[in-house]
Amino acid sequence: VRGAHQTPREFLETAARAEVLAPRWPRWSDAAKRIVDAFYRVRFGGAALTPQETEAIGAALAQVEAGLSGRDDAVPAGQGA
């Protein structure tokens, strides 16, 4: 659970070091970083995601979800479903 004092990027770094997640982290770290980067661009940069970026973020979310649940059947983000 993200602490109120943590930014999304700080939480991501904390999660990467968590003992329970660390072994699986390499499988979905790039996807998680892409999600956080997109969040910052939209939230603080005023950018809008293109339909392709939105699709890629959806795929990245699916990859992170699969990684967290221990499934290895996730489609790599950006490669479609």
Side-chain angles (χ1 to χ4, degrees):
V1 174
R2 183 173 73 88
H5 65 283
Q6 291 180 303
T7 66
R9 189 165 281 132
E10 290 169 335
F11 176 68
L12 184 62
E13 292 168 2
T14 300
R17 291 188 304 269
E19 186 175 318
V20 70
L21 295 179
R24 295 186 303 227
W25 177 248
R27 294 184 201 156
W28 50 271
S29 62
D30 288 340
K33 290 174 187 173
R34 282 193 297 276
I35 295 164
V36 171
D37 289 344
F39 169 76
Y40 277 107
R41 280 191 359 253
V42 171
R43 174 67 174 90
F44 302 110
L49 297 178
T50 66
Q52 295 82 9
E53 289 173 317
T54 301
E55 184 177 327
I57 294 301
L61 285 168
Q63 187 176 9
V64 170
E65 180 181 22
L68 288 173
S69 68
R71 294 190 336 257
D72 290 328
D73 60 352
V75 175
Q79 294 186 9

